[in-house]
Amino acid sequence: MKQIKGGVTAAKGFKAASTAAGIKYKDRTDMAMIYSEVPCAVAGTFTTNIVKAAPVKWDQHVVYDSKKAQAVIVNAGIANACTGEEGMGYCKATAEKVNKLLQIPTDEVLVASTGVIGMQLPIDRICAGVETMVPQLNGDIESGHNAALAIMTTDTHEKEVAVEIELSGKTVTIGGMCKGSGMIHPNMCTMLSFVTTDAAISQELLLEALKADVEDTYNMISVDGDTSTNDTCLLLANGMAENTKITEKNADYETFTKALRFVNETLAKQMAGDGEGATALFEVKVIGAETKEQAKILSKSVITSSLTKAAIYGHDANWGRILCAMGYSGAQFDPEKVDLFFESAAGKMQIIKDGVAVDYSEEEATKILSEPAVTAIADIKMGAAQATAWGCDLTYDYVKINADYRS
Amino acid sequence: MKQIKGGVTAAKGFKAASTAAGIKYKDRTDMAMIYSEVPCAVAGTFTTNIVKAAPVKWDQHVVYDSKKAQAVIVNAGIANACTGEEGMGYCKATAEKVNKLLQIPTDEVLVASTGVIGMQLPIDRICAGVETMVPQLNGDIESGHNAALAIMTTDTHEKEVAVEIELSGKTVTIGGMCKGSGMIHPNMCTMLSFVTTDAAISQELLLEALKADVEDTYNMISVDGDTSTNDTCLLLANGMAENTKITEKNADYETFTKALRFVNETLAKQMAGDGEGATALFEVKVIGAETKEQAKILSKSVITSSLTKAAIYGHDANWGRILCAMGYSGAQFDPEKVDLFFESAAGKMQIIKDGVAVDYSEEEATKILSEPAVTAIADIKMGAAQATAWGCDLTYDYVKINADYRS
């Protein structure tokens, strides 16, 4: 596997475009489009929130009924959630516009929205945006990059990744983009994430590969504990790499899923590290667990603890909060057996041995915790299972962004 | 029932004292003591966190084995949590000191600590504090008030309440004090809360009454989603009101539990409203639920949502976040049937009807949300059950307090 430049346009046959449609933001792009020269097998995972945005319902129909797709239309600024029948109608109107311009069946057009809940989309501007983007569709790296910029809301930078692998003598590419950065506590899938590949693979296996990944990547990050109404992760495979089509769990499937995991984990970590107001990526590894599930519950409880997140912002080795968050997680363990370590580019040090503080240097710990990516490792000494979760620190800017998001 | 002035010394036979023992804070009191002239029936509820502070383990033994108590020693600054055998030894040493001075059996002395996790108590200063307080024990209102001040950590004001009721021709008093104000997400009981009464009542009924209350009061508040290692609620009844002893669920029990509920609910609300950095008490009522449990899950999910809390800080009627938090709570309901209202001293207004925004005035909504106590009422139109949860807004000061708590 080789990491390469690019995002959603890295794989063969995928094009992208973006435009400033004036949905809600001024002076920036706010719509993006992904298009494949040929129809794709499509997999998707969606929010488990009972309150599901209209585009989520629309895309579920595309993924589970049509099972293929050829275009994705995304807008930032308005989420099209809690918008009733009117909101559903706008998904359809968007797909109809694409159908008219590109002759793609409406139920093979995916839509995704992110932004304020409860407002209706200005559908005229959405349709005008589609009209502007279609003639600009381009397969170069820059077009994919601009699409990643256009879907941002409170994100501070675009998020992309792409890799190449070899399958049955052919070069296969997987590339993706995603956006955060608030209301991030994916439960099934994350905010908006779009992954494209030119691999030839059956829709069943594509869905299975994506579902497995989502559990260990997007579902293991949290910015603020709020599971959005719009979480959507889409994976499109157009087969243009001309590899022998993957229809069973063979060596090619292994290679493909390993690369896909890298792409999804990279995007998930980018999202966590760019959480609203965040100054640091906070990684929590629980090792020595009896089961993976137990390690997941424990690590996720720590990255969602407001107190721990605030301590990370303060570069404060307040390990009691970490042990406390493990304690209320619901998972069983013996607090008096826990060893805890902090690690970053500045070094690694042990903080707790068997549940009690070792004689560590606070100064040294603060140095380790002052890096832009910080890891806490908790060894609960019960078995060989482990899990990792990713979050970020809690800062003044998180409050600032969210006290005044709509205005 | 009549509300009266006072707190833990309001009931007959209860005395209190406080002192500046220099545990961790400078220039303020940080130890308090409650004492009853005669032994009390005692009830207690404690944190469900697996990581339990030493005083929690000590008090559980007193409540469940001794079943009576005559003194409580409290310190602020250090939590005596994650302190191993040494920490347990300090609970015992504190009780032994009280035993020596007041001849109370050590297993009838309760202890409680709040503050930083992982540091050992300076036991010499704790014992010196006890020695200072014993001769100062006093049953006046001021001594109770000073005790409520001494147990504060990041609280901005002391929290007290007292009421009088009549039972079998005798005046019975219930009074209490508590402290917050971070790591507040009680699950079984809250931080530190101490309630005293001169009622004569059996220990079994006292425990039952307290457990029922805790479910609907302390367990329904949240400041930051973090369930502490030290949560403790203690209720002492010394029988000095000389009412006919309550040993069954008769009319007196009804009167007593109603008054107790008022005391506990008042303390819980004081705690929520004084959450770390808070500028407003945020109350969420879910009505029209099928079951109380469902209403509890929904209301608690809203008050713990960081995004909703930040919106309340910004006086922003960002109702989508409320519906979103209900949606990911795990409780079932139909989002398209929800009506939502905001209410405060400035008025009441409807925001959503059947899951979609009504044509409300943002200006008017902001006015309602600018009061120091704000209520959101969600009617899910499924039945007649309801529940209320209390929280606070999320502010810059919450981050400030917690990024730098230990230094």
Side-chain angles (χ1 to χ4, degrees), chain A residues 49-51 57 82 117-118 183 224 226-227 305-307 310 314 316-321 323-324 327-328 331 333 336 362 394-396 398-400 402-403 405-406, chain B residues 49-51 57 82 117-118 183 224 226-227 305-307 310 314 316-321 323-324 327-328 331 333 336 362 394-396 398-400 402-403 405-406:
Chain A
N49 197 316
I50 287 183
V51 182
K57 294 181 198 167
C82 303
I117 298 175
M183 213 179 256
D224 50 18
D226 284 271
T227 302
S305 154
S306 294
L307 286 169
D316 179 6
N318 203 322
W319 56 269
R321 293 177 180 173
L323 216 55
C324 175
Y328 64 67
F333 68 100
E336 286 168 20
E362 288 283 356
L394 174 63
T395 70
Y396 297 117
Y398 177 85
V399 177
K400 187 172 181 187
N402 288 301
Y405 178 54
R406 296 195 313 167
Chain B
N49 197 316
I50 287 183
V51 183
K57 294 181 197 168
C82 303
I117 298 174
M183 213 178 258
D224 49 18
D226 283 271
T227 302
S305 153
S306 294
L307 285 170
D316 178 7
N318 203 322
W319 57 268
R321 293 177 180 173
L323 216 55
C324 175
Y328 64 67
F333 69 100
E336 286 170 19
E362 289 282 356
L394 175 63
T395 70
Y396 297 116
Y398 177 84
V399 177
K400 188 173 179 184
N402 289 301
Y405 179 54
R406 296 195 312 166

Coordinates of all heavy atoms in Angstrom, one line a residue, chain A residues 49-51 57 82 117-118 183 224 226-227 305-307 310 314 316-321 323-324 327-328 331 333 336 362 394-396 398-400 402-403 405-406, chain B residues 49-51 57 82 117-118 183 224 226-227 305-307 310 314 316-321 323-324 327-328 331 333 336 362 394-396 398-400 402-403 405-406:
Chain A
N49 N -29.2 8.2 15.1 CA -30.1 9.2 15.7 C -31.5 9.0 15.2 O -31.7 8.8 14.0 CB -29.6 10.6 15.4 CG -30.3 11.6 16.4 OD1 -31.5 11.6 16.6 ND2 -29.5 12.5 16.9
I50 N -32.5 8.9 16.1 CA -33.9 8.8 15.6 C -34.3 9.9 14.7 O -35.1 9.8 13.8 CB -34.8 8.7 16.8 CG1 -34.7 7.3 17.5 CG2 -36.3 8.9 16.4 CD1 -35.6 7.1 18.7
V51 N -33.8 11.1 15.0 CA -34.0 12.2 14.2 C -33.1 12.2 13.0 O -31.9 12.5 13.2 CB -33.9 13.6 15.0 CG1 -34.2 14.8 14.2 CG2 -34.7 13.5 16.3
K57 N -32.3 9.8 4.9 CA -33.4 8.9 4.5 C -33.3 8.6 3.0 O -33.5 7.5 2.5 CB -34.8 9.5 4.8 CG -35.0 9.6 6.3 CD -36.4 10.2 6.6 CE -36.5 10.8 8.0 NZ -37.8 11.6 8.1
C82 N -35.1 17.9 10.3 CA -36.3 18.4 10.9 C -37.0 19.4 10.0 O -37.4 20.5 10.3 CB -36.0 19.2 12.2 SG -35.1 18.2 13.4
I117 N -29.7 22.8 11.8 CA -30.9 22.0 11.8 C -32.2 22.9 11.7 O -32.2 23.9 12.4 CB -30.9 21.1 13.0 CG1 -29.7 20.2 13.1 CG2 -32.2 20.3 13.1 CD1 -29.6 19.4 14.3
G118 N -33.2 22.4 11.0 CA -34.5 23.1 11.1 C -34.8 24.1 10.0 O -35.9 24.5 9.8
M183 N -20.8 18.4 16.8 CA -21.9 17.4 16.8 C -21.3 16.1 16.3 O -21.9 15.3 15.5 CB -23.1 17.8 15.9 CG -24.4 17.3 16.5 SD -25.9 17.8 15.5 CE -26.6 19.1 16.5
D224 N -17.8 16.0 20.8 CA -18.6 16.6 21.9 C -19.7 15.7 22.4 O -20.6 16.2 23.2 CB -19.2 17.9 21.4 CG -19.8 17.8 20.1 OD1 -20.1 16.7 19.7 OD2 -20.0 18.8 19.4
D226 N -22.2 14.6 21.0 CA -23.5 14.7 20.3 C -23.5 14.0 19.0 O -22.8 14.3 18.0 CB -23.8 16.2 20.0 CG -24.2 16.9 21.3 OD1 -25.4 17.0 21.6 OD2 -23.3 17.5 22.0
T227 N -24.4 13.0 18.9 CA -24.6 12.2 17.6 C -25.5 13.0 16.7 O -26.6 13.2 17.0 CB -25.1 10.8 17.9 OG1 -24.3 10.2 18.8 CG2 -25.2 10.0 16.7
S305 N -15.0 12.5 28.0 CA -15.1 13.2 29.3 C -14.7 14.7 29.2 O -13.5 15.0 28.8 CB -14.1 12.5 30.3 OG -13.7 13.4 31.3
S306 N -15.6 15.5 29.5 CA -15.3 17.0 29.4 C -14.2 17.4 30.3 O -13.4 18.2 29.9 CB -16.6 17.8 29.8 OG -17.6 17.6 28.9
L307 N -14.2 16.8 31.5 CA -13.1 17.2 32.4 C -11.7 16.8 31.9 O -10.8 17.5 32.0 CB -13.4 16.5 33.8 CG -14.5 17.2 34.6 CD1 -14.8 16.3 35.8 CD2 -14.1 18.5 35.0
A310 N -10.7 19.1 29.0 CA -10.3 20.4 29.5 C -8.9 20.3 30.1 O -8.1 21.2 29.9 CB -11.3 20.9 30.5
G314 N -5.3 22.1 29.0 CA -4.4 22.8 30.0 C -3.1 22.1 30.1 O -2.3 22.5 31.0
D316 N -2.4 19.4 31.4 CA -2.3 19.0 32.8 C -2.5 17.5 32.9 O -3.5 16.9 32.5 CB -3.5 19.8 33.5 CG -3.6 19.4 35.0 OD1 -2.7 18.7 35.5 OD2 -4.6 19.9 35.6
A317 N -1.5 16.9 33.5 CA -1.5 15.4 33.7 C -2.5 15.0 34.8 O -2.2 14.3 35.7 CB -0.1 14.9 34.0
N318 N -3.7 15.4 34.6 CA -4.8 15.2 35.6 C -5.3 13.7 35.4 O -6.4 13.5 35.0 CB -5.9 16.2 35.5 CG -6.7 16.4 36.8 OD1 -6.9 15.4 37.5 ND2 -7.0 17.6 37.1
W319 N -4.5 12.8 35.8 CA -4.8 11.4 35.5 C -6.0 10.9 36.2 O -6.7 9.9 35.8 CB -3.6 10.5 35.8 CG -3.1 10.6 37.2 CD1 -2.2 11.5 37.6 CD2 -3.6 9.9 38.3 NE1 -2.0 11.3 39.0 CE2 -2.9 10.4 39.4 CE3 -4.5 8.9 38.5 CZ2 -3.1 9.9 40.7 CZ3 -4.7 8.4 39.8 CH2 -4.0 8.9 40.9
G320 N -6.4 11.5 37.4 CA -7.5 11.1 38.1 C -8.8 11.1 37.3 O -9.7 10.3 37.4
R321 N -8.9 12.1 36.4 CA -10.0 12.3 35.6 C -10.1 11.1 34.6 O -11.2 10.7 34.2 CB -10.0 13.6 34.8 CG -10.2 14.8 35.8 CD -10.1 16.1 35.1 NE -10.2 17.2 36.0 CZ -10.0 18.5 35.7 NH1 -9.7 18.8 34.5 NH2 -10.2 19.4 36.7
L323 N -8.9 8.0 35.0 CA -9.4 6.8 35.8 C -10.8 6.9 36.2 O -11.6 6.0 36.1 CB -8.5 6.7 37.1 CG -8.1 5.3 37.5 CD1 -7.5 4.5 36.4 CD2 -7.3 5.3 38.7
C324 N -11.3 8.1 36.5 CA -12.7 8.4 36.8 C -13.6 8.1 35.6 O -14.6 7.4 35.8 CB -12.8 9.9 37.3 SG -14.5 10.4 37.6
G327 N -14.0 4.6 35.1 CA -14.8 4.0 36.2 C -16.3 4.1 36.0 O -17.0 3.2 36.4
Y328 N -16.7 5.2 35.3 CA -18.2 5.3 35.1 C -18.6 4.9 33.7 O -19.7 5.0 33.3 CB -18.6 6.8 35.4 CG -18.1 7.9 34.5 CD1 -18.5 7.9 33.2 CD2 -17.3 8.9 35.0 CE1 -18.0 9.0 32.3 CE2 -16.8 9.9 34.2 CZ -17.2 9.9 32.9 OH -16.7 11.0 32.1
A331 N -18.0 -0.4 31.9 CA -17.2 -1.6 31.7 C -16.5 -2.0 33.0 O -16.2 -1.1 33.8 CB -16.1 -1.4 30.6
F333 N -13.5 -3.4 35.4 CA -12.1 -3.6 35.5 C -11.7 -3.3 37.0 O -12.5 -2.8 37.7 CB -11.3 -2.7 34.6 CG -11.5 -1.2 35.0 CD1 -10.4 -0.6 35.6 CD2 -12.6 -0.5 34.6 CE1 -10.6 0.8 36.0 CE2 -12.7 0.8 35.0 CZ -11.7 1.5 35.7
E336 N -7.4 -0.9 40.8 CA -6.2 -1.0 41.5 C -5.1 -1.8 40.8 O -4.1 -2.2 41.3 CB -6.4 -1.5 42.9 CG -7.0 -0.4 43.8 CD -7.6 -0.8 45.1 OE1 -7.2 -1.9 45.6 OE2 -8.4 -0.1 45.7
E362 N 5.9 16.4 37.1 CA 4.8 17.1 36.5 C 5.3 18.0 35.3 O 4.6 18.1 34.3 CB 4.2 18.1 37.5 CG 3.3 17.4 38.6 CD 2.0 16.9 38.1 OE1 1.6 17.2 37.0 OE2 1.3 16.2 39.0
L394 N -11.0 20.2 25.0 CA -12.1 21.1 25.1 C -11.6 22.5 25.4 O -10.9 22.7 26.4 CB -13.1 20.7 26.2 CG -14.2 21.6 26.6 CD1 -15.2 21.7 25.4 CD2 -15.0 21.0 27.8
T395 N -12.0 23.5 24.6 CA -11.3 24.8 24.6 C -12.4 25.9 24.7 O -13.5 25.7 24.4 CB -10.4 25.0 23.4 OG1 -11.3 25.2 22.2 CG2 -9.5 23.8 23.1
Y396 N -11.9 27.1 25.0 CA -12.7 28.3 24.9 C -13.4 28.4 23.5 O -14.6 28.7 23.4 CB -11.9 29.6 25.1 CG -11.2 29.7 26.4 CD1 -9.9 29.7 26.5 CD2 -12.0 29.7 27.6 CE1 -9.2 29.8 27.7 CE2 -11.3 29.8 28.8 CZ -10.0 29.9 28.9 OH -9.4 29.9 30.1
Y398 N -14.4 26.1 21.5 CA -15.5 25.2 21.3 C -16.8 25.9 21.8 O -17.8 25.9 21.1 CB -15.4 23.9 22.1 CG -16.6 23.0 22.0 CD1 -16.8 22.2 20.9 CD2 -17.6 23.1 22.9 CE1 -17.9 21.4 20.7 CE2 -18.8 22.3 22.7 CZ -18.9 21.5 21.6 OH -20.0 20.8 21.4
V399 N -16.7 26.6 23.0 CA -17.8 27.3 23.5 C -18.2 28.5 22.6 O -19.4 28.7 22.3 CB -17.5 27.8 25.0 CG1 -18.7 28.6 25.5 CG2 -17.2 26.6 25.9
K400 N -17.2 29.2 22.2 CA -17.4 30.4 21.4 C -18.2 30.0 20.1 O -19.2 30.6 19.7 CB -16.1 31.0 21.0 CG -16.2 32.3 20.3 CD -14.9 33.0 20.1 CE -15.1 34.3 19.4 NZ -13.8 35.0 19.1
N402 N -20.0 27.4 19.5 CA -21.3 26.8 19.6 C -22.3 27.7 20.4 O -23.5 27.4 20.4 CB -21.2 25.5 20.3 CG -20.6 24.5 19.3 OD1 -21.2 24.3 18.2 ND2 -19.5 23.9 19.6
A403 N -21.8 28.7 21.1 CA -22.8 29.7 21.7 C -23.3 30.6 20.6 O -24.4 31.2 20.8 CB -22.0 30.5 22.7
Y405 N -23.4 29.8 16.9 CA -23.3 29.1 15.7 C -24.2 29.6 14.6 O -23.9 29.7 13.4 CB -23.5 27.6 15.9 CG -23.4 26.7 14.6 CD1 -22.3 26.8 13.8 CD2 -24.4 25.9 14.3 CE1 -22.2 26.0 12.7 CE2 -24.4 25.1 13.2 CZ -23.2 25.2 12.3 OH -23.2 24.4 11.2
R406 N -25.5 29.9 15.0 CA -26.4 30.3 14.0 C -26.3 31.7 13.4 O -26.8 32.0 12.4 CB -27.9 30.0 14.5 CG -28.1 28.6 14.8 CD -29.6 28.3 15.0 NE -30.2 29.4 15.9 CZ -31.5 29.6 16.0 NH1 -32.3 28.9 15.3 NH2 -31.9 30.5 16.8
Chain B
N49 N -19.6 4.8 40.2 CA -18.3 4.7 39.6 C -17.6 3.6 40.2 O -17.5 3.4 41.4 CB -17.6 6.0 39.7 CG -16.4 6.2 38.8 OD1 -15.7 5.2 38.6 ND2 -16.3 7.3 38.2
I50 N -17.0 2.7 39.3 CA -16.2 1.6 39.8 C -15.0 2.1 40.7 O -14.6 1.5 41.6 CB -15.6 0.8 38.6 CG1 -16.8 0.0 38.0 CG2 -14.5 -0.2 39.1 CD1 -16.3 -0.9 36.9
V51 N -14.5 3.3 40.2 CA -13.4 3.9 41.0 C -14.0 4.7 42.2 O -14.6 5.8 42.0 CB -12.6 4.9 40.1 CG1 -11.4 5.4 40.9 CG2 -12.0 4.1 38.9
K57 N -16.1 4.2 50.4 CA -16.1 2.8 50.9 C -16.3 2.8 52.4 O -17.0 1.9 53.0 CB -14.7 2.2 50.6 CG -14.5 1.9 49.1 CD -13.1 1.3 48.8 CE -12.7 1.4 47.4 NZ -11.3 1.1 47.2
C82 N -8.4 7.1 44.6 CA -7.2 6.5 44.0 C -6.0 6.6 44.9 O -4.9 7.0 44.5 CB -6.9 7.1 42.6 SG -8.2 7.0 41.4
I117 N -8.2 14.3 42.7 CA -8.1 12.8 42.8 C -6.6 12.4 42.8 O -5.8 13.1 42.1 CB -8.7 12.1 41.5 CG1 -10.2 12.4 41.5 CG2 -8.5 10.6 41.5 CD1 -11.0 11.9 40.3
G118 N -6.2 11.4 43.6 CA -4.9 10.9 43.5 C -3.9 11.4 44.5 O -2.8 10.8 44.7
M183 N -17.5 17.7 37.7 CA -17.6 16.2 37.8 C -19.0 15.8 38.3 O -19.1 15.0 39.2 CB -16.5 15.7 38.7 CG -16.0 14.3 38.2 SD -14.7 13.6 39.1 CE -13.2 13.9 38.1
D224 N -21.5 18.2 33.7 CA -20.5 17.9 32.6 C -20.5 16.4 32.2 O -19.6 16.0 31.5 CB -19.1 18.3 33.0 CG -18.7 17.9 34.4 OD1 -19.4 16.9 34.9 OD2 -17.8 18.4 35.0
D226 N -19.6 13.9 33.8 CA -18.7 13.1 34.5 C -19.2 12.6 35.9 O -19.4 13.4 36.7 CB -17.4 13.9 34.7 CG -16.5 13.9 33.4 OD1 -15.7 13.0 33.1 OD2 -16.8 14.8 32.6
T227 N -19.3 11.3 36.1 CA -19.8 10.8 37.3 C -18.6 10.6 38.3 O -17.7 9.9 38.0 CB -20.4 9.4 37.1 OG1 -21.5 9.6 36.2 CG2 -20.9 8.9 38.5
S305 N -26.2 17.5 26.7 CA -25.6 17.8 25.4 C -24.8 19.1 25.4 O -25.3 20.2 25.7 CB -26.8 18.0 24.4 OG -26.4 18.8 23.3
S306 N -23.5 18.9 25.1 CA -22.6 20.1 25.1 C -23.1 21.2 24.1 O -23.0 22.4 24.4 CB -21.2 19.7 24.6 OG -20.6 18.8 25.6
L307 N -23.6 20.7 22.9 CA -24.0 21.7 22.0 C -25.2 22.5 22.5 O -25.3 23.7 22.3 CB -24.4 21.0 20.6 CG -23.2 20.5 19.8 CD1 -23.6 19.6 18.7 CD2 -22.4 21.7 19.3
A310 N -24.1 24.9 25.2 CA -23.4 26.1 24.6 C -24.4 27.1 24.0 O -24.3 28.3 24.1 CB -22.4 25.7 23.6
G314 N -25.3 31.1 24.8 CA -25.5 32.1 23.8 C -26.9 32.7 23.6 O -27.1 33.4 22.7
D316 N -29.4 31.3 22.5 CA -29.7 31.0 21.1 C -30.8 29.9 21.1 O -30.5 28.8 21.6 CB -28.4 30.6 20.4 CG -28.7 30.2 19.0 OD1 -29.8 30.4 18.5 OD2 -27.7 29.7 18.3
A317 N -31.9 30.2 20.5 CA -33.0 29.2 20.4 C -32.7 28.1 19.4 O -33.5 27.8 18.5 CB -34.3 29.9 20.1
N318 N -31.6 27.5 19.6 CA -31.1 26.5 18.6 C -31.8 25.1 18.9 O -31.2 24.2 19.3 CB -29.6 26.3 18.7 CG -29.0 25.7 17.4 OD1 -29.6 24.9 16.8 ND2 -27.8 26.2 17.1
W319 N -33.1 25.1 18.6 CA -33.9 23.9 19.0 C -33.5 22.6 18.3 O -33.8 21.6 18.8 CB -35.4 24.3 18.7 CG -35.7 24.6 17.3 CD1 -35.7 25.9 16.8 CD2 -35.9 23.7 16.2 NE1 -35.9 25.8 15.4 CE2 -36.1 24.5 15.1 CE3 -36.0 22.3 16.1 CZ2 -36.4 23.9 13.8 CZ3 -36.3 21.8 14.9 CH2 -36.5 22.5 13.8
G320 N -32.9 22.7 17.2 CA -32.5 21.5 16.5 C -31.5 20.7 17.3 O -31.6 19.5 17.3
R321 N -30.7 21.3 18.2 CA -29.8 20.6 19.0 C -30.6 19.8 20.1 O -30.1 18.8 20.6 CB -28.8 21.5 19.7 CG -27.9 22.1 18.6 CD -26.9 23.1 19.2 NE -26.0 23.7 18.2 CZ -25.2 24.6 18.4 NH1 -25.1 25.2 19.7 NH2 -24.4 25.1 17.5
L323 N -33.7 18.6 19.8 CA -34.4 17.5 19.1 C -33.3 16.5 18.8 O -33.5 15.2 18.9 CB -35.1 18.0 17.8 CG -36.4 17.3 17.5 CD1 -37.4 17.4 18.7 CD2 -37.0 17.9 16.2
C324 N -32.1 16.9 18.4 CA -31.0 16.0 18.1 C -30.6 15.2 19.3 O -30.5 14.0 19.2 CB -29.8 16.8 17.5 SG -28.3 15.9 17.2
G327 N -33.0 12.6 20.0 CA -32.9 11.6 19.0 C -31.9 10.5 19.3 O -32.0 9.4 19.0
Y328 N -30.7 11.0 19.9 CA -29.7 10.0 20.1 C -29.7 9.4 21.6 O -28.8 8.7 22.0 CB -28.3 10.5 19.8 CG -27.7 11.7 20.6 CD1 -27.4 11.6 21.9 CD2 -27.5 12.9 20.0 CE1 -26.9 12.6 22.6 CE2 -27.0 14.0 20.7 CZ -26.7 13.8 22.0 OH -26.2 14.9 22.7
A331 N -34.0 6.5 23.7 CA -35.4 6.3 24.0 C -36.2 6.5 22.7 O -35.8 7.3 21.8 CB -35.9 7.4 25.0
F333 N -39.3 7.6 20.3 CA -40.4 8.6 20.1 C -40.5 9.0 18.6 O -39.6 8.7 17.9 CB -40.1 9.9 21.0 CG -39.0 10.7 20.5 CD1 -39.2 11.9 19.8 CD2 -37.7 10.3 20.8 CE1 -38.1 12.6 19.3 CE2 -36.6 11.1 20.3 CZ -36.8 12.2 19.6
E336 N -41.6 13.6 14.5 CA -42.5 14.4 13.8 C -43.8 14.7 14.6 O -44.8 15.2 14.0 CB -42.8 13.8 12.4 CG -41.6 14.0 11.5 CD -41.6 13.2 10.2 OE1 -42.7 12.8 9.8 OE2 -40.5 13.1 9.7
E362 N -37.3 35.2 16.8 CA -36.0 34.9 17.4 C -35.7 35.9 18.5 O -35.1 35.5 19.5 CB -34.9 35.0 16.3 CG -34.9 33.8 15.3 CD -34.3 32.5 15.8 OE1 -33.8 32.5 17.0 OE2 -34.4 31.5 15.1
L394 N -22.9 25.8 29.1 CA -21.5 25.5 29.0 C -20.8 26.8 28.6 O -21.1 27.4 27.5 CB -21.3 24.4 27.9 CG -19.8 24.1 27.5 CD1 -19.0 23.6 28.7 CD2 -19.7 23.1 26.4
T395 N -19.8 27.2 29.4 CA -19.3 28.6 29.2 C -17.7 28.5 29.1 O -17.1 27.5 29.4 CB -19.6 29.4 30.4 OG1 -18.9 29.0 31.5 CG2 -21.1 29.4 30.7
Y396 N -17.2 29.7 28.7 CA -15.7 29.8 28.7 C -15.2 29.4 30.1 O -14.1 28.8 30.2 CB -15.3 31.2 28.5 CG -15.7 31.7 27.1 CD1 -16.6 32.8 27.0 CD2 -15.2 31.1 26.0 CE1 -17.0 33.2 25.7 CE2 -15.5 31.6 24.7 CZ -16.5 32.6 24.6 OH -16.8 33.1 23.3
Y398 N -16.2 27.3 32.3 CA -16.1 25.9 32.6 C -14.7 25.4 32.1 O -14.0 24.6 32.8 CB -17.2 25.1 31.9 CG -17.0 23.6 32.1 CD1 -17.5 23.0 33.3 CD2 -16.3 22.8 31.2 CE1 -17.3 21.6 33.5 CE2 -16.1 21.4 31.5 CZ -16.6 20.9 32.6 OH -16.4 19.5 32.9
V399 N -14.3 25.8 30.9 CA -13.1 25.4 30.3 C -11.9 25.9 31.1 O -11.0 25.2 31.5 CB -12.9 25.9 28.8 CG1 -11.6 25.5 28.3 CG2 -14.1 25.3 28.0
K400 N -12.0 27.2 31.5 CA -11.0 27.8 32.3 C -10.7 27.1 33.6 O -9.6 26.8 34.0 CB -11.4 29.3 32.5 CG -10.2 30.1 33.2 CD -10.6 31.6 33.3 CE -9.5 32.3 33.9 NZ -9.8 33.7 34.1
N402 N -11.4 24.1 34.4 CA -11.0 22.7 34.3 C -9.7 22.5 33.5 O -9.1 21.4 33.6 CB -12.1 21.8 33.7 CG -13.2 21.7 34.8 OD1 -12.9 21.2 35.9 ND2 -14.4 22.2 34.5
A403 N -9.3 23.5 32.8 CA -8.0 23.4 32.1 C -6.9 23.6 33.2 O -5.7 23.2 32.9 CB -7.9 24.4 31.0
Y405 N -7.3 23.2 36.9 CA -7.9 23.0 38.2 C -6.8 22.7 39.3 O -6.9 23.1 40.4 CB -8.9 21.8 38.1 CG -9.5 21.4 39.4 CD1 -10.2 22.4 40.2 CD2 -9.5 20.1 39.8 CE1 -10.8 22.0 41.4 CE2 -10.1 19.7 41.0 CZ -10.7 20.7 41.8 OH -11.3 20.3 42.9
R406 N -5.8 21.9 38.9 CA -4.8 21.5 39.9 C -3.8 22.5 40.3 O -3.2 22.4 41.4 CB -4.1 20.2 39.4 CG -5.0 19.0 39.2 CD -4.3 17.8 39.1 NE -3.1 18.0 38.2 CZ -2.1 17.1 38.1 NH1 -2.1 16.0 38.9 NH2 -1.2 17.3 37.2

